Amino acid sequence: MSEKLIEVNNVTYVYEPDEEGAPGYTALSNVSTHIDKGEFVAVLGHNGSGKSTLAKLLNAIYEPTEGTVSVKGIVADTEEKGDEVRRIVGMVFQNPDNQIVATIVEDDVAFGPENLGVEPSEIRRRVDEALKSVNMYEMREREPHRLSGGQKQRVAIAGVLAMQTECIVLDEPTAMLDPMGRSEVMKTVCRLNEELGITVVLITHFMEEAVLADRVIVMDNGRIIDEGTPAEIFSKADFLRSHGLDVPQSTELCRLVGIDGCVLSVGEAVEKIASLIGGAAG
Amino acid sequence: MSNAIEVKNLTYYYSEGTPNQVAAIKNVNLAIEKGTMVGIIGHTGSGKSTLISHFNGLLKPAEGNVFVDGEDIWQSKETLRGSRFKVGLCFQYPEYQLFEETVFADISFGPKNMKLSPEEVRERVLEAAEFTGLRKEMLDKSPFDLSGGEKRRAAIAGVMAMKPQTLVFDEPAAGLDPSGRKELIKLIQNYREKTGCTVVIVSHSMEDIARVAERVIVVNDGEIAADGTVDEVYSHSDELRKMGLNVPEITQIFSKLHDMGYDVPGNVYSVEKGAEIILNLIGRGCR
């Protein structure tokens, strides 16, 4: 049986009304799920469905109003335990410009371990290793503001890796990137998951990114409304659309021309359609 | 046909006059005809946003000229001010620029600056709100009580309320879910059909640009690398990839099938069109 890294049990999260009179609301209602060690989970849901709130609960930025989140058995009910959780689960946000603090790439990556009081020689080793795993080692002496969006996001990921976290939660990491930047970041995420066994939770609005996951969680109205493999989830096009989502173009094309099963990639679509046309011609 | 915007020999430098001076825009010539819908694509840092910031004088060219409606905008204070009302710029994540106490006040900021009468301002606010799908009761709320998608529409309504001849959007759908993205693009299309205004959309979404643009301009390294119809530009997928871009999945599928020798066109940009082609083909094959 696979080992559970994060367990979310009956979690409700309520945003309190603020002093300026903004009304409070319930962002998550009685959510239960778990993330296994080494798993790659994608979370889908329209804007306001509760995805980002869930993400912030996974690394103890938020504390549940009701229910519990435990990370390797640790429930972050004190500051110290919160720090412990954040050492296991790191987070990468949407805007690359908001999460870089230093003026040199390698200093930025060293920021996390320095704060943890790690030995300088060990920091050096971790920073080099982290930068190599996101393919940014060659650029370690560059100034972050001169990097592209995709490169900045990879530096942010390296910063999380240098803390030796076991799990990375990425909240729409490619929303502001150009097509190449998006593909660089997704390749990096997949590689970390496959080669280093890092557990990945990816929150995204891009269906073609969710296809790469082992499991997809679909959220609406603060609840988990479906969960399954990408093939299971993306075979339900009408269901997804009724919740503000969609399916990848490859999947939709194959569905419309009557190909059985759920096609998830360009390569697979080309193959299936070629045999469909070939079969018809012959 | 006359031009909504024309730039001639436009050059712009970052950190001008310092040792770090870099050319962000290099001798660009470009004319956008009135009433057209133009898409601008290019990787992050290619110069797209710097280019469009010249369209209503937010940036001043180091060299060259910018003409709006045939007038050089930098010839006088009046022409510069006029260009701000003729060309409405809607930046990326415009919801972060909402600042007034109510949504109504926020949308009316632009028209008020145009020194319109209070009745006229009100009329424009209501019209823009209706167009962007903001219900009347939302107008009295604080912008900060709206959802993300509503805030985005309120910010866009603020630009539409100025009734500019040209609307320029920088990544209008960034960060929206698939249905929010479709709705927003539809909203821009509807607005243009109704008003006949010129629209420029800067986007990283090759799918959205393929859906709406009559003309696509590719900016790379501060220069215009390609300029043509969707067909003309998207057929160079290898060059696009070298510039940090890509073509939609559906286009990749058809271009591969075409290259493999199947009897399908290589230039397909929508899933509906693609499905139609395949269904026709297998229908014909069976007969």
Side-chain angles (χ1 to χ4, degrees), chain B residues 226-239:
Chain B
D227 184 349
T229 61
V230 172
D231 250 351
E232 286 161 357
V233 172
Y234 281 41
S235 61
H236 299 274
S237 60
D238 290 343
E239 283 96 325

Side-chain angles (χ1 to χ4, degrees), chain A residues 213-229:
Chain A
D214 301 318
R215 179 160 59 107
V216 179
I217 293 177
V218 184
M219 296 191 65
D220 198 359
N221 203 15
R223 295 169 199 275
I224 292 179
I225 55 166
D226 205 358
E227 228 173 304
T229 62

Side-chain angles (χ1 to χ4, degrees), chain A residues 214-215 226-237 240 262 264:
Chain A
D214 301 318
R215 179 160 59 107
D226 205 358
E227 228 173 304
T229 62
E232 284 162 359
I233 297 298
F234 290 115
S235 61
K236 303 173 193 173
L240 290 171
C262 187
L264 295 173

